[in-house]
Amino acid sequence: MGAAPFGKWVHPVSAEAEEDVSALGGKGSGLVLLRRLGLPVPPAFVVGTEACRIFLRDGRFPDGLDDELDAAIAVLEADTGRRFGGTDRPLVVSVRSGGSVSMPGMMSTVLDLGLTDATTAALAAETGDRRFALDSRQRLLTSFASAVHGLGAEELAAAARRGARAPESPEANAAAALADVEAFLLERTGDRVPDDARDQLDVAVRSVFRSWNTPRARTYRTLHGIPDDLGTAVVVQAMVFGNRDDRSGSGVAFSRDPNTGARTPFGEVLFARQGEDVVSGTSATEPLGELAEREPEVWAGLLDAMGRIEEHYRDSCYVEFTFESGRLWLLQVRRGRFTGGAATRVAVDLVDESVITRDEALLRVSPQDLRALHTPRVDTAAGAVVLTRGLGACPGVAVGRLATTADKAVRMAADGPVVLVRPHTSPADIHGLAAAAGVVTAHGGPASHAAVVARSMAKPAVVGAADLTVDAAEGQVRVGARTLTDGDTITIDGGSGEVVLGESPVTTATADPRLHRLLDWADEVSGRTAGTEQDRLEAAHAVLRPDA
């Protein structure tokens, strides 16, 4: 894509563009960085945050935005050799939010946009795979219904399953699921998804702008001290189809383990699925290393990309990726932003790798990280009754009364700690996650919504506890032959992934030797050796950053 701007409101994603986070948002500026590093990025453009602020103020697009969108789409068409709304090689795009500060899952996304009745038929003819085309069209309807009409993911998924199915015919199943979702959307809203690609784009961009002010987004900003007047950018990007075939898929990857800081690629992947299936936590993912076995070229490309990104950031990184028919594409990047022991280990290791200086390492670790270092663990040797084990998604121990819905968690938290237990969480659960001492989900992996939000709040989390059955309507959780109800006390260990009946004894892990090295460096800078670990680090910060 050329570097020339489309005008005042819409910005290109190119190697020559500025990485202006305030205008492009974190997602858009990350795509510019990936382009600059020569990494594979689907063609894209960004509607800037200023357009969002004006839309929220005036209730309409700013003057000139429609024309700039037309110009930007024309460039995407030229870059891809496809036509938006065309019946021969149709261009299909994603429309994603991207504020200057990360707000995981709090705002809207619309995938597979541009699939009308005619372009869906064209996609089926081009690929020779009608099942794939119908599945992609259903995904558009589902994400559109969620973003524009606020329908919940669970009820939409149920709608897609409510008709009769023919297990031996994936194409017939896809057609039936699409028909069911279309009927459900009409039944619930009295509306249909526009059968014109350009109209779809207008509605989607407006819905992403509006999602900045949804209750869940406002709650998240309040919890994290994010200003309400920033607005969000909108990233419009050519689709890469992780659901294309068995050599396609989507995933998320950290260059280092976010729980420990170890220099080991960490993440999860789903084959033949799109990215929303990974981050929603509704699907059983596979460990990132499965790529090495099934798609070695994608794996090698991902490792190379993360190495180059780490070299640029001089820090750990996180990427979201999709691969289509064995070809890797990167969709998002940011620094790893680890906390606690992981932050300490990464900072010290980067010094040992001659990437950063000792002073930089000291400034990358906060006093809050040190407070989290001596993370308690469930003491299973003391006779704890382990109900189940999942994946540890955020270290620490939480003890509280079980709550099976976010609303119950908020009510019950007024009388003491609660642990939110859900099949999976969604942005609609943010108030319950904020009120809970910890969270457990039956589905999802370390990059699911529950895991990401829990880490951002430094709350213990266990995800993917697959033998849990959560019945929110009855206020019950079943594990094998045992049934627990709302109000029963449980203990969770976000490091080991254990869920324990009652209040379990805990033990404190020994601090990593890297902590002692970091504190020695702090003492050399400040000239003091007395006080708590936090005092010693703060004294070094005061010397290194006296104006902070």
Side-chain angles (χ1 to χ4, degrees):
M1 181 179 289
F6 302 112
K8 183 176 182 180
W9 313 113
V10 181
H11 310 270
V13 170
S14 69
E16 297 80 19
E18 294 292 326
E19 290 177 50
D20 185 348
V21 175
S22 63
L24 301 181
K27 192 170 296 180
S29 61
L31 293 176
V32 170
L33 167 63
L34 292 172
R35 275 291 178 90
R36 187 166 294 130
L37 294 177
L39 294 170
V41 179
F45 62 84
V46 180
V47 184
T49 56
E50 180 63 18
C52 175
R53 289 191 289 270
I54 291 176
F55 176 85
L56 294 176
R57 183 193 70 195
D58 299 342
R60 62 179 181 83
F61 279 172
D63 293 340
L65 177 55
D66 279 321
D67 290 340
E68 291 184 29
L69 284 172
D70 288 338
I73 286 291
V75 172
L76 279 192
E77 290 176 330
D79 284 350
T80 60
R82 296 180 172 275
R83 184 163 170 266
F84 195 50
T87 55
D88 179 33
R89 290 179 53 79
L91 171 64
V92 185
V93 300
S94 62
V95 180
R96 290 183 168 95
S97 62
S100 57
V101 180
S102 178
M103 295 171 53
M106 295 302 120
M107 291 179 290
S108 294
T109 291
V110 180
L111 301 180
D112 302 284
L113 190 137
L115 284 177
T116 63
D117 288 341
T119 57
T120 301
L123 185 64
E126 177 189 345
T127 61
D129 189 344
R130 186 166 177 265
R131 180 217 58 82
F132 156 67
L134 294 173
D135 179 64
S136 298
R137 168 72 174 174
Q138 184 218 310
R139 288 171 180 274
L140 164 65
L141 266 60
T142 299
S143 59
F144 195 94
S146 176
V148 177
H149 298 289
L151 298 182
E154 292 182 5
E155 58 184 336
L156 288 164
R161 296 191 301 264
R162 66 183 181 179
R165 295 292 181 266
E168 71 285 354
S169 176
E171 180 181 317
N173 286 345
L178 173 59
D180 287 343
V181 172
E182 285 180 318
F184 179 72
L185 181 58
L186 185 61
E187 171 189 312
R188 287 293 305 274
T189 70
D191 197 8
R192 298 180 185 275
V193 173
D195 201 42
D196 177 87
R198 188 62 177 79
D199 289 345
Q200 290 178 5
L201 180 62
D202 275 355
V203 175
V205 172
R206 286 181 169 88
S207 74
V208 174
F209 282 164
R210 291 190 183 101
S211 69
W212 176 259
N213 279 334
T214 57
R216 63 178 184 262
R218 287 185 171 277
T219 297
Y220 190 90
R221 290 199 295 275
T222 298
L223 291 169
H224 293 271
I226 301 171
D228 282 331
D229 60 356
L230 297 179
T232 182
V234 180
V235 177
V236 180
Q237 189 166 37
M239 277 293 299
V240 180
F241 294 102
N243 60 324
R244 174 66 185 87
D245 52 32
D246 289 339
R247 296 199 59 213
S248 304
S250 300
V252 298
F254 295 88
S255 60
R256 305 186 186 220
D257 189 320
N259 291 324
T260 68
R263 193 179 183 181
T264 304
F266 180 93
E268 52 193 314
V269 64
L270 271 174
F271 292 90
R273 305 287 283 277
Q274 290 188 358
E276 288 299 297
D277 299 318
V278 178
V279 299
S280 68
T282 57
S283 302
T285 58
E286 298 185 57
L288 184 66
E290 285 294 308
L291 274 175
E293 296 294 324
R294 292 183 54 172
E295 291 296 332
E297 289 187 14
V298 173
W299 174 250
L302 182 63
L303 294 184
D304 174 68
M306 289 196 292
R308 290 158 68 179
I309 295 165
E310 273 210 358
E311 183 178 357
H312 172 83
Y313 280 149
R314 299 166 62 243
D315 201 353
S316 58
C317 68
Y318 163 88
V319 298
E320 295 181 10
F321 64 92
T322 293
F323 50 103
E324 181 179 340
S325 300
R327 184 177 181 184
L328 172 68
W329 298 91
L330 302 182
L331 306 180
Q332 185 171 349
V333 65
R334 60 170 168 77
R335 295 177 188 270
R337 291 194 306 224
F338 300 159
T339 60
T344 303
R345 176 168 182 171
V346 169
V348 175
D349 284 355
L350 288 172
V351 173
D352 291 342
E353 295 163 23
S354 300
V355 175
I356 63 175
T357 66
R358 291 180 176 185
D359 288 355
E360 288 175 298
L362 288 167
L363 290 172
R364 289 191 183 183
V365 179
S366 71
Q368 290 78 14
D369 289 328
L370 297 193
R371 278 190 280 274
L373 263 173
H374 304 287
T375 305
R377 303 291 298 271
V378 165
D379 186 1
T380 53
V385 178
V386 178
L387 294 169
T388 186
R389 287 180 174 86
L391 301 173
C394 186
V397 170
V399 181
R401 290 168 300 141
L402 185 154
T404 53
T405 70
D407 289 342
K408 288 177 184 176
V410 172
R411 290 196 302 269
M412 292 167 61
D415 297 318
V418 299
V419 175
L420 179 64
V421 182
R422 299 283 295 142
H424 57 88
T425 67
S426 74
D429 294 314
I430 186 63
H431 57 303
L433 287 161
V439 60
V440 179
T441 63
H443 308 301
S448 64
H449 177 268
V452 172
V453 174
R455 281 195 292 269
S456 75
M457 297 180 177
K459 295 190 176 190
V462 175
V463 298
D467 54 354
L468 283 181
T469 300
V470 183
D471 186 341
E474 296 294 328
Q476 294 182 339
V477 174
R478 291 184 290 278
V479 189
R482 191 186 298 269
T483 299
L484 283 70
T485 60
D486 284 321
D488 288 344
T489 298
I490 59 173
T491 302
I492 69 170
D493 186 331
S496 67
E498 292 165 328
V499 180
V500 173
L501 182 64
E503 182 171 353
S504 171
V506 298
T507 183
T508 301
T510 303
D512 190 304
R514 292 171 181 81
L515 171 63
H516 302 300
R517 295 177 60 200
L518 186 82
L519 292 174
D520 286 344
W521 300 341
D523 295 342
E524 290 175 15
V525 168
S526 67
R528 69 178 291 178
T529 58
T532 66
E533 295 167 349
Q534 292 89 346
D535 290 340
R536 293 161 67 187
L537 182 62
E538 286 174 345
H541 282 191
V543 173
L544 295 170
R545 199 161 45 197
D547 297 328

